[in-house]
Each structure stands twice: as C-alpha cells, then as structure tokens.
Amino acid sequence: MSTAMRNTPSPTSAQGRGSGGETTPKPQEVLDRAVKAPRVIIDRLRPCVDDGRFPAKGVLHQPILFEADVFSDGHEVLAAELVLRAPGHDGARRITMQALGNDRFQARVVPARVGRHLFTVEAWLDTWASYRRGLSRLHEADKVSPQDLAEGLERVGAAARVDRDGAVRSLMERLTGRSREEVIALLLDDGVAELMSSRLSRGFPTRHPYELSVDVERERAGFASWYELFPRSAGAPGRHGTFDDVVSRLPAIAAMGFDVLYMPPIHPIGTTKRKGRNNSLVAAPGDVGSPYAIGAADGGHDAVHADLGGIESLRRLRDAAAGYGIELALDIAIQCSPDHPWLREHPEWFSWRSDGSVKCAENPPKKYEDIVNVEFYNPGALPSLWIAWRDVIEKWIGEGIRMFRVDNPHTKPLPFWQWLIADIRSRHPDAIFLSEAFTKPAMMYRLAKIGFTQSYTYFTWRNHKEELDAYMRELTQEPPRDFFRPNFFVNTPDINPPFLQTSGRAGFLIRAALATTLSGLWGLYSGFELCEAAPLPGREEYLDSEKYELRHRDWTAPGNIVGEISRLNHLRRENRALQSHLWYQPVRSDNDHILVYARQVPGDDVLILVAVSLDPHATQEGTFDLPFDALEVGEGGALESEELMSGRRFVWHERRQHWRFVPQEMPFAIFKLRRAGGVVA
Amino acid sequence: MSTAMRNTPSPTSAQGRGSGGETTPKPQEVLDRAVKAPRVIIDRLRPCVDDGRFPAKGVLHQPILFEADVFSDGHEVLAAELVLRAPGHDGARRITMQALGNDRFQARVVPARVGRHLFTVEAWLDTWASYRRGLSRLHEADKVSPQDLAEGLERVGAAARVDRDGAVRSLMERLTGRSREEVIALLLDDGVAELMSSRLSRGFPTRHPYELSVDVERERAGFASWYELFPRSAGAPGRHGTFDDVVSRLPAIAAMGFDVLYMPPIHPIGTTKRKGRNNSLVAAPGDVGSPYAIGAADGGHDAVHADLGGIESLRRLRDAAAGYGIELALDIAIQCSPDHPWLREHPEWFSWRSDGSVKCAENPPKKYEDIVNVEFYNPGALPSLWIAWRDVIEKWIGEGIRMFRVDNPHTKPLPFWQWLIADIRSRHPDAIFLSEAFTKPAMMYRLAKIGFTQSYTYFTWRNHKEELDAYMRELTQEPPRDFFRPNFFVNTPDINPPFLQTSGRAGFLIRAALATTLSGLWGLYSGFELCEAAPLPGREEYLDSEKYELRHRDWTAPGNIVGEISRLNHLRRENRALQSHLWYQPVRSDNDHILVYARQVPGDDVLILVAVSLDPHATQEGTFDLPFDALEVGEGGALESEELMSGRRFVWHERRQHWRFVPQEMPFAIFKLRRAGGVVA
C-alpha cells in the first residue's frame, strides 16, 4: 500500500525540515558535524513530488528521466550514479548518470516492472577524471611539466597497490620506459580513464539523504483512448438499450481506434424526485431519469439496472469488448437517490435535518433534488461507510472491471480517496482511477498526488495558442509533470464546449487533433464524431441531454469525422512520441492562430511535428521552424518528412517552412521527421 | 546558530519523505489512520526554502508575505491563521490570513525584530461562514425555507450552550419574536458572523505538520548602496594612498548617497611571483602587486598593509565613515601568497607536491602564480584551519567591521561556509556576508541558502529587455525570492562589461538606473561614475587595472554622472518601493528596447513606475500601460504622476502613455504615481 505522507505531524530534527533552533548545540559539536558534512551536494532529484512525500508516477515501457543537481566547491570533475531498487529488496541497479551541463545529471530508465520503484543518487569527486582534464588542457596549451606527469604516475601507483586483478599493474608496465609523448597519450587514454576512475577511491562520496519513489503503472494508465457512451441509448429507436446492444457498436468503436469504453453509472435509478428531460424538476411518465440518481428498491451501487440487461448482459459486453482489445470503465459516483437502500439500512451514514428530512445535495443556490450525499465523518460512518465504498469497488473488480472514472471526487474527503485507492491497489495494482475534479488547481493536483491515476483537465477551455502552450508547459515542465496525468476529453455529457457550439466540423477536427497529439490519454463522449453541438441556449450543456433521455443517432450521418478520428488513433498507436503528454516541446510559429509543437521520446531519432490552425472559420498560413537541431541535422543536411494524415512525403533542406491551413479541408498537419541519410552534425 | 539542514541522512517514517513502503502496515491500522487524517489540507507554505530545510530570509521593517494553500473537499468556507513565534518561546502571534482566491491565503507581516522567526499555519472549516454564505445565496434567489432558518437558529443555540460572556445569549434574545426578514438580516449580519465564527467550534481544525523559519536581518542586509575603491589609489598622484586619504573622499561618496564603502583586501602583499601591471608575470621594481596575493613577512589576513597606514589609519577611516552614515565592508579572500606566514607556521594546511613545492592555485590551463590555496580537508587542517578563518573574521569584527564581501566562495567547501556564517552570526547577528560566486546557478543559490546574506548576480550580463525581465521574474517569482538577495553591481575590478565598453555615457546612465531601481542592493566600483571603460583589448578586464597598480582620477572630469547617481540614491532613500527587488512587476510596453516595470510595496497606495530605454545609441519611443488597477483607479479616474528625475508633474487620465527617450539626454524616467483624489474603483 501507499506510504505517501498524509498531512500529519512528522518528526523534526536538527537535520530536518523547519527545525526551529529550539536547542542550541555546543559550538564544538556543530564544528564536528560540519567537518563531516557532505562536501558534494546532491539536490533537486527528479521525479519528485512534494520533496518525496508522495510517489511520482511512471508508465511501463515509457522512459523515466531521473535527474539531480550534483556539484561541489572548486573545479573537480564530478560523477553520479542512480541507485534504483524495489521495496523490500536491498539489491539495487546502479546506472551512471550523464552530465547535462549546469550541474544537472540525468539517467534515462525504461521501467520493465509495474509497481513501486525506489531511487536515490550517489555522487563523488572523480579524482582521475579531474587529473586527466587538467592534463589535457595543459597538453593543449603545451604546458605539461614533469611534475604534472609524475602526479599521474603517483595516482596509478596508488591504484596498483590495491589492484585486484593486475589491470593497474599491467598499466604501470605499459607506462614504464616510454617517451614523454607516449606517457601523456596513455594518461589521456579513454580506456585508462575508465580503469582508473573505477579503481581509485571515490573522492568525498555522498549519497542523497533519502530515497524517493516512483509508482510504475500499466500502459493504459498513461496511453489510452476513451470512448464514452450511454448504453441505454444503444437500443433501436424508442427502446431502452442494453449492454448487448452496445456489443453491436463495438466493431465501429474498435475501428475508430478506441481501447477504453466508459459508461456512466449502470445502476438502478431512483424514482423519487426523478429529473425529466433537460433537467426539468418533474419527470414525465416513461422518463428514464439521470443515471447519477443511483439506487432504487432493486439495489444500489453494486446492482445493475434491469433495463440495461442486468449483470449477465454486462458480462457479455465485457467479454466481447475484450475480444476487440477494449476495456470497460465504470463510473463511481458517490451519491444516492432518495430511494437508495442505504437510507433505510444505514441511516447513520446520512445527515438528517431537524425536520426529519435528508438534505439533498446542494451548492447554494443550486440544489440537486434527486440525490442526497453520504456523510463520511458521521460517527456511525467511521469506518463502516468507508468500507462499504471499498466493497463496491471490489464487487466490480470481481466482475473483471479495472478502470474507474470517479465522479466529483473533490466533494469527498481526501483521506478517504488516499486510503481507498491505496487499499484497492495493494491487491489490484492494475486498477486505474480517473478523477473528474473540475475544480481549482490545488485540489485537482492534490487528487493526483494522493493516488488518482489520471485526471480530467482544463483542456476543454483552452482554445487559444498562448493558453494552450502555457497549459502544456505547466503539465510538462512544472511540478505536475511528475504526478499528474492529463486525460484530454474533448467533450463530456456535462460539457458542450462553447468553441464547438459555433465552430462547425473544422472545430471538431481541431480539438480532436489537439487532444490526440498533445496527450497520451484522450477521450470523447459519443456524438462528438458526428459534430453534435446543439446547446441548451446560452449554456455549456447539450440540448436534449442523454443524461435525462435516450438518444438515437445515425452513426454514418454526413459530415462526420469518423475517418479522421480513426486515422488519429492509428497514428497514436504507430508513434510512441504521441503516447504521453510529457514529450511536448513548443515550436515557434509566426501566426498567432497556428500552434506548432514537437513530440519526441528522449533518445529517439524520429520526431513528430504537429501544426494546428486554431481558427475553424478562416484560412491561416504561416511559417514555423523545423527541429534541425533536435534531429542533429548538420550544415547542408536535410529532413525526411511525411505528413501522416495525407501520406505526402518531402525532403526539407530549409529550416523554415511555410504552411497553409484551410479549415474546410484539413486544419492541421502531422509530420513525421527524421534526419535524411548520412549527414550528421 | 543555524539549524538548517545539511545534506546528511534524515530519519524517514511512514509520514516522511521518500519512505519506500519497506514494511506493510496492517490494513486496519491504515484505515484507522485515514479516518483521523486531516480533512483540511494546508500546503505550499511561503516563504519556504527547500521544504523548510533552510531558513527563508527577511529584512527588518520590510513586509513579509506569508502564504499557504488551504482547501478541503466540498464547498465549505475555510479560515486560516498564521501562527508566528520566536524560537524558545511558546507564546505565538496569531494573524488571520486573507483569502486571495484559488485556495491561496495570505498574511502580511512587517517584522520588528532581528533574528529567527518560526511560523506555521492553522486552518479549519468555518461552519457559520458556510451557513451564512448558503443563506445569503438562497436569500438572493428568494429560496429561503423555514428549515433553512431553523438551522441557523440551531447553530446559535449550540453556541449559546457554551457562551462565556452572554454575547450569544444576547443574540438569541435579539432573534426571538422577530419577523422572518429581521431574522434573515441578523443571520447575515457582519457582527453576528464575527461572533459566531469565534464561538462555534472550528470544523476539522488542522495545523501544518511542521514549522518553517525566516531569518530577519538588519536593514542593510536588504537595502544598501555599495561603493568600491582601492584605498591605495586615494593618495596624491604617484603616492601610495592610505586610509586617511580615503577619509578625504568620504564627503563625495556620502553626497552620492552611498552607505557602504567596500575595499579589496587591505593586508600585506607577497613579493614572491608578484604580478606586474596588467597581470604580467613579472613585476617591475615599485609595482604594488595584487592585493589578493595576501600575506608577507609582516603578516597575513589579520594584518594591515603598512603602506595603507596600518590599523590606526583604518580605525580613523572607520570612525570618519560612521560620521557620514557609511559602513566599511572588508574583503575575505581565502588564499595566500607564497610568503604568507601560515606556510611556515602551518604546513599541514597546504597541499605539497611530491617535488616539495606547494601547488599554486589553478584552473587548468590558467594558473594563479602569486597565490596558493589552503586545503580544508587535510587531516592536519581539521578543524584547526577552519577555526583560524573564523578567528580572522572575529579579529575584524573586533575592529568594528560587520560587512564582508567574500571572494570566490564557491571554490571553498560549502560545509565550511555554512558553519562559519552560522557560528559568527550566533554571536554577531548583524554580520553581513556578500557572496562573490560568479558561477553556475546551483552553486550561487546554494551559497545563499546556507547563509550568505547577499550575492553578486548575472545582472552584469543581462542587457536586453527579455533577459532582464526573465531574470527579475526568476528572482522575484520563483524559489530564489525566499532566500537569494541580489546585489546588482554595475561593474567590478574584474568586470568591465562589454555593454559599457561601447555604450558611452548613456550606457552608464542606463545601467545605473536599472541597478538602483531593480534591486534594494546595488554597487559600483569607482571609475563607473566617470564612465571609465577602457578594456584590455577583447577582454572584460580594465586596461591598466587597479588590481595591479595605483590609479589616480579626476573626480570632476567632464561627462561624469555623479549628479544622476546622487539623485538615484536619493530616490531610493525616499521611496521604499525601491528598497527591495521583491516588489518588481513587469509592465507591458510596445518597444523591445524599452523595459518598463512597476515597484510597489504590498499595501502601499503609491507606486513607482520605471521606464528605461536599453539603447544607448538611438532615440527610442513607445507606449506603456499605466497601472490604473494596482492603484485602484476607477472608471473616469486619473493618476497623479511626478517624474522623479526632472520633478515634472502630470495628471494622467489615459491608461496608455507614450514616452520618448533620447540617450544623449536621459534614457530613462521614474514616475511616482498615486490615485488622483477622490475617485475610487
């Protein structure tokens, strides 16, 4: 289970955080400690969440960049090693870190195991490398003195005295009786450097004072395409759909390239204060109600709505979906209809008003008449209610479900989620939780820190170039990059984005292109592929929302973007640079309506360059800079380029390219770039 | 003394950093802890350095903005208090924090005491404020039910049962027998809110798990103007100057508004391998040598060069300077000439080569032939050498010196500085240490964290608008703001900035204006006021550098900028917005050569707006936006403005102003702005 810190008192000490100097140690003790304190500083380890109070996140088979500042006084050469291990195992992998410049060191690791990884960094002065660098510079300046050479030989002699396999003694022999130039060449030799650095004792070796942790999760935690639908709409027109009706949609969903099928709550729906169409306070006869008003006489969160075909129908869908490589995601909405069995069985879990009623959910002056909330901190709920929710999740895990979209987690206690997710994942490390916390950043990010795998984001409201770029930088260059996995939904049953209400088909292409190429995780709510956007007037809500009624659609309606979505999802599978948001790099373009960015997995020799016109109404054109440097294209070199939507191929010699986007045709372009053969920088 | 963390192992625990899940606690224990864990989150406290491992910095009488994220699940109103105390004292000041929006809370405190301050934050759900906000919204929507009122009265009743002074019972009486509207008015009343919030028990009260610390230093730690000179140049032409000669310079230095007089090392200078003029390897007879080659037969770091007039002359200068409000700063350069007495007295403090020589200081292929380094980690130096350096500082403190400019601290061990500064400041809290670490950011910032009061900066190499703004944002909006105090030197004996070598007089005005208005701390090396910039060809060094010879100047030479510098320093004394770098706010301007910024102490009703043309060669003009909002100027309002260099006054009604800068006249303008009387937003 997670041992991430909760917000509880921690011991402080003379070495610890915020120690206040309550007691003044004796001057002699202070000096004794100072002369033994590390001379080499190891700082700003990454990945790191709140100084290690929470684990960072990683994804199986996706590279993790471990980094640290390593520096010391003076001009010695420093060396650093990543020390990586599994909890409960002393044996550690040691990986040499590379100097990036400016005192930053890095090791790139591709995790091959799901679970907690612990790491720290060790660093030291590399006395041989320091000597060698000095000798090299003196040699270039033709200033090597006999004493300079003598000091190299003295170091070899020191290593020879503790030689375990004769390698240093053999070097000693090679150095004997040679000319000055031959001795210098040997002392500057790469192989000799490797031998000597490994044999001379490390200077002032230091280990970072604590380990940090990374939780590596399975691939769909970081790379997946979500498709959301209301199963009750899957039936023939006029008939309440079942999971078996959804089975018949699977070929189309799979052909579009989706691998997660997410359904709003599938449980019995209350009748008391049931909402009518378009969220009206009175339901008409036959109105199906909101699936979020969970619970009725025939069961609560662990039951399946009879009209959906019951549990057997769900199992058939689950198995059929698996055949298409599609995994089901269920909705966890912690709230009850007034008809939920728990109100009778566990009145101690609810808050009763002095007039004997249960307060409905509200955010004054808004009231949610068809639902009531549980009270996590009622004396009678501690901990029985918490356990009951855990058992609900376990029930669905027992049915083979491993993905959960959690409704409004920010209105339930943080300690509850932290415990719940850790508890579930201790037995089911493949469980995935998507947080639907459309709230302020502090809470949205906290939920990610305490265990949520993924999160809905502000992407839906970022339409302009500057704000999209700023948001991507926040997610990929600032602290959230280590703990927050964005799932870029382009719409949801709750969000009919104003941009799409007026953009026409081009806007849907723009948003699909952005979501699929900016984030490893994206999703859509069905209807998006048909460019549906009719709103409740003046609102972000859909007109005739499926939240309150059945909707039947013509999935081949003219103007749909099924082809483009299929192509985009296909490109995501083919190109691992598109499988995480982390590899985002902004690229300069001279048109404020054209966002350009590069996507490149560290170490790869191919790069995806995406250019999106954000204007769905007018043609936009502009120039942008090609990443010649990132692909190590030298003077006179060229880039091989393929535009992946059209398949057109180019060879580009100019660093600056001009492009034109016609919204009625294709408002974006995706280029796969690699260095043209043979010319290296 | 400082208890800031050194880079040594700290205990980890289930609640601590980087705990790796070695032991798996029982599920029941985990759940027990979860239900007791804080429901209210307090996070991201500020000021904060490395999660509290080092103290933050504050300045006496300059406001400190204490902040925290405070949030919880749901929609309750939160309240937060800063808890501030002195080490060793349990009694704490409690200061209500104000909500800034987005879950951020702030308290502004002006410290009135030098020394360590400890703080933490407490927060809770304010149940009355939550009820009141809900009632208010229902009232606005005309949806208040009798039950809604009953719940207010129930809360008053609960408070009345623990009423200590009758105030709540008196409120109860006022609520009795009133009309519905009267009851609502009372329940929404401000005074009632204050009473009820203070009497109802705090909901889920939480205290941040540890205290953080701020070291408050005396005013010159944060606000001072440094003037650097070589005292040996202060004599009549051809004669080696003494401190008594410097006394005669004091009136001019004071008139220019400087309050710190800093002198390079004043100790005996070695003769072995003494450098000649322009750093030549051979000194001519009569050459004075570099003052950084410290130590000769007549003494080392605790002695005064006889030619400077000896200790008595220094004391006369010290006292005379004090009469002008000027404080002396000495140079601590930890290195020895080969003639330093310590080489004889303490050979164990030096590193001897196998040929019997002491290695001179070097950074290959560069060699510093006239100096040798001490070896802090020689077995014979631990800790006697460390104590010897401490005693050197104590010696000068004994002479009334409290300010020290430390030469190249990044080439001496960090644990040494951390110990030395803490040790000195435990007895002399008014001691100030300026770090001359022209090196990479990690080291420059680390020195500030471990105790250096101030630091030289990269300012000298930031000449363009974007890079100046980026650097100021780094210093004022990113982590360095809490621990790093920049001292903006416009030149030094080591740095003859390329910009000034070609800028002419206008460039000196530009750099003086930037330094004096961007940072509370600035400094110049004498000659700058005369616009001296003759370089060693192609180098950043001065030609005929004073480091190796005497220089005699005509302080009234034509084209000097003594008047402008005097005015700028005067404005700094008059306007506290100019007394810290922290109050920097960038202001949009439409000309890439004109940098515009606002300076405003939080809470003040006056604002300094500075506009500087960065082009010393051509006239530049442009528009910039006036800070109507920061000064709360409403619709139709105006700003009263005074340009402080010229004394010209304006009343500005337009938010956008146009200005023109002629480098041969005045390449900058400094406006003092306040809201014109009467019109409030």
Side-chain angles (χ1 to χ4, degrees), chain B residues 146-161:
Chain B
Q147 178 61 22
D148 293 323
L149 293 184
E151 289 177 10
L153 298 174
E154 286 160 21
R155 284 176 167 79
V156 176
R161 283 192 290 278

mmCIF file of all heavy atoms in Angstrom, chain B residues 146-161:
data_model
loop_
_atom_site.group_PDB
_atom_site.id
_atom_site.type_symbol
_atom_site.label_atom_id
_atom_site.label_comp_id
_atom_site.label_asym_id
_atom_site.label_seq_id
_atom_site.Cartn_x
_atom_site.Cartn_y
_atom_site.Cartn_z
ATOM 1 N N PRO B 146 -38.259 27.744 5.804
ATOM 2 C CA PRO B 146 -38.244 27.799 7.278
ATOM 3 C C PRO B 146 -37.150 26.895 7.853
ATOM 4 O O PRO B 146 -36.484 27.251 8.827
ATOM 5 C CB PRO B 146 -39.640 27.288 7.658
ATOM 6 C CG PRO B 146 -40.491 27.603 6.464
ATOM 7 C CD PRO B 146 -39.593 27.451 5.260
ATOM 8 N N GLN B 147 -36.941 25.741 7.223
ATOM 9 C CA GLN B 147 -35.904 24.835 7.724
ATOM 10 C C GLN B 147 -34.520 25.467 7.604
ATOM 11 O O GLN B 147 -33.669 25.274 8.474
ATOM 12 C CB GLN B 147 -35.974 23.502 6.956
ATOM 13 C CG GLN B 147 -34.919 22.485 7.354
ATOM 14 C CD GLN B 147 -35.004 22.053 8.819
ATOM 15 O OE1 GLN B 147 -36.062 22.179 9.463
ATOM 16 N NE2 GLN B 147 -33.887 21.603 9.363
ATOM 17 N N ASP B 148 -34.295 26.249 6.539
ATOM 18 C CA ASP B 148 -33.001 26.927 6.392
ATOM 19 C C ASP B 148 -32.761 27.873 7.568
ATOM 20 O O ASP B 148 -31.653 27.966 8.091
ATOM 21 C CB ASP B 148 -32.948 27.708 5.071
ATOM 22 C CG ASP B 148 -32.957 26.782 3.852
ATOM 23 O OD1 ASP B 148 -32.344 25.707 3.933
ATOM 24 O OD2 ASP B 148 -33.585 27.153 2.845
ATOM 25 N N LEU B 149 -33.813 28.589 7.986
ATOM 26 C CA LEU B 149 -33.663 29.497 9.138
ATOM 27 C C LEU B 149 -33.488 28.710 10.428
ATOM 28 O O LEU B 149 -32.675 29.067 11.285
ATOM 29 C CB LEU B 149 -34.885 30.416 9.241
ATOM 30 C CG LEU B 149 -35.036 31.431 8.110
ATOM 31 C CD1 LEU B 149 -36.225 32.348 8.378
ATOM 32 C CD2 LEU B 149 -33.769 32.249 7.943
ATOM 33 N N ALA B 150 -34.257 27.639 10.548
ATOM 34 C CA ALA B 150 -34.164 26.833 11.768
ATOM 35 C C ALA B 150 -32.724 26.364 11.980
ATOM 36 O O ALA B 150 -32.226 26.339 13.111
ATOM 37 C CB ALA B 150 -35.116 25.627 11.671
ATOM 38 N N GLU B 151 -32.055 26.021 10.884
ATOM 39 C CA GLU B 151 -30.689 25.523 11.031
ATOM 40 C C GLU B 151 -29.722 26.609 11.502
ATOM 41 O O GLU B 151 -28.748 26.327 12.201
ATOM 42 C CB GLU B 151 -30.227 24.873 9.720
ATOM 43 C CG GLU B 151 -30.963 23.562 9.511
ATOM 44 C CD GLU B 151 -30.649 22.859 8.198
ATOM 45 O OE1 GLU B 151 -29.702 23.282 7.508
ATOM 46 O OE2 GLU B 151 -31.359 21.889 7.896
ATOM 47 N N GLY B 152 -30.004 27.842 11.163
ATOM 48 C CA GLY B 152 -29.211 28.942 11.694
ATOM 49 C C GLY B 152 -29.442 29.094 13.187
ATOM 50 O O GLY B 152 -28.499 29.237 13.973
ATOM 51 N N LEU B 153 -30.699 29.042 13.568
ATOM 52 C CA LEU B 153 -31.021 29.198 14.990
ATOM 53 C C LEU B 153 -30.452 28.036 15.802
ATOM 54 O O LEU B 153 -30.004 28.214 16.938
ATOM 55 C CB LEU B 153 -32.538 29.297 15.164
ATOM 56 C CG LEU B 153 -33.157 30.519 14.450
ATOM 57 C CD1 LEU B 153 -34.682 30.488 14.539
ATOM 58 C CD2 LEU B 153 -32.614 31.824 15.030
ATOM 59 N N GLU B 154 -30.454 26.837 15.200
ATOM 60 C CA GLU B 154 -29.854 25.695 15.902
ATOM 61 C C GLU B 154 -28.367 25.953 16.178
ATOM 62 O O GLU B 154 -27.853 25.616 17.237
ATOM 63 C CB GLU B 154 -29.992 24.411 15.060
ATOM 64 C CG GLU B 154 -31.420 23.860 15.045
ATOM 65 C CD GLU B 154 -31.674 22.924 13.858
ATOM 66 O OE1 GLU B 154 -30.682 22.384 13.288
ATOM 67 O OE2 GLU B 154 -32.850 22.737 13.491
ATOM 68 N N ARG B 155 -27.684 26.559 15.227
ATOM 69 C CA ARG B 155 -26.255 26.840 15.413
ATOM 70 C C ARG B 155 -26.055 27.894 16.511
ATOM 71 O O ARG B 155 -25.147 27.776 17.331
ATOM 72 C CB ARG B 155 -25.638 27.337 14.106
ATOM 73 C CG ARG B 155 -25.393 26.233 13.096
ATOM 74 C CD ARG B 155 -24.867 26.790 11.784
ATOM 75 N NE ARG B 155 -24.343 25.753 10.903
ATOM 76 C CZ ARG B 155 -25.066 24.946 10.149
ATOM 77 N NH1 ARG B 155 -26.383 25.042 10.154
ATOM 78 N NH2 ARG B 155 -24.492 24.037 9.376
ATOM 79 N N VAL B 156 -26.936 28.906 16.522
ATOM 80 C CA VAL B 156 -26.822 29.908 17.579
ATOM 81 C C VAL B 156 -27.082 29.246 18.933
ATOM 82 O O VAL B 156 -26.377 29.500 19.926
ATOM 83 C CB VAL B 156 -27.808 31.068 17.333
ATOM 84 C CG1 VAL B 156 -27.759 32.078 18.483
ATOM 85 C CG2 VAL B 156 -27.489 31.765 16.002
ATOM 86 N N GLY B 157 -28.048 28.356 18.952
ATOM 87 C CA GLY B 157 -28.354 27.647 20.193
ATOM 88 C C GLY B 157 -27.166 26.833 20.684
ATOM 89 O O GLY B 157 -26.847 26.819 21.882
ATOM 90 N N ALA B 158 -26.498 26.177 19.761
ATOM 91 C CA ALA B 158 -25.322 25.372 20.152
ATOM 92 C C ALA B 158 -24.251 26.264 20.753
ATOM 93 O O ALA B 158 -23.608 25.909 21.750
ATOM 94 C CB ALA B 158 -24.781 24.616 18.933
ATOM 95 N N ALA B 159 -24.047 27.444 20.150
ATOM 96 C CA ALA B 159 -23.026 28.363 20.667
ATOM 97 C C ALA B 159 -23.460 28.921 22.020
ATOM 98 O O ALA B 159 -22.635 29.147 22.913
ATOM 99 C CB ALA B 159 -22.776 29.484 19.669
ATOM 100 N N ALA B 160 -24.754 29.135 22.200
ATOM 101 C CA ALA B 160 -25.240 29.699 23.462
ATOM 102 C C ALA B 160 -24.975 28.749 24.625
ATOM 103 O O ALA B 160 -24.728 29.180 25.745
ATOM 104 C CB ALA B 160 -26.746 29.997 23.343
ATOM 105 N N ARG B 161 -25.007 27.463 24.343
ATOM 106 C CA ARG B 161 -24.794 26.486 25.430
ATOM 107 C C ARG B 161 -23.383 26.565 25.992
ATOM 108 O O ARG B 161 -23.141 26.107 27.099
ATOM 109 C CB ARG B 161 -25.097 25.071 24.917
ATOM 110 C CG ARG B 161 -26.606 24.797 24.817
ATOM 111 C CD ARG B 161 -26.908 23.308 24.588
ATOM 112 N NE ARG B 161 -26.520 22.831 23.265
ATOM 113 C CZ ARG B 161 -27.266 22.998 22.154
ATOM 114 N NH1 ARG B 161 -28.432 23.658 22.218
ATOM 115 N NH2 ARG B 161 -26.856 22.521 21.002
#
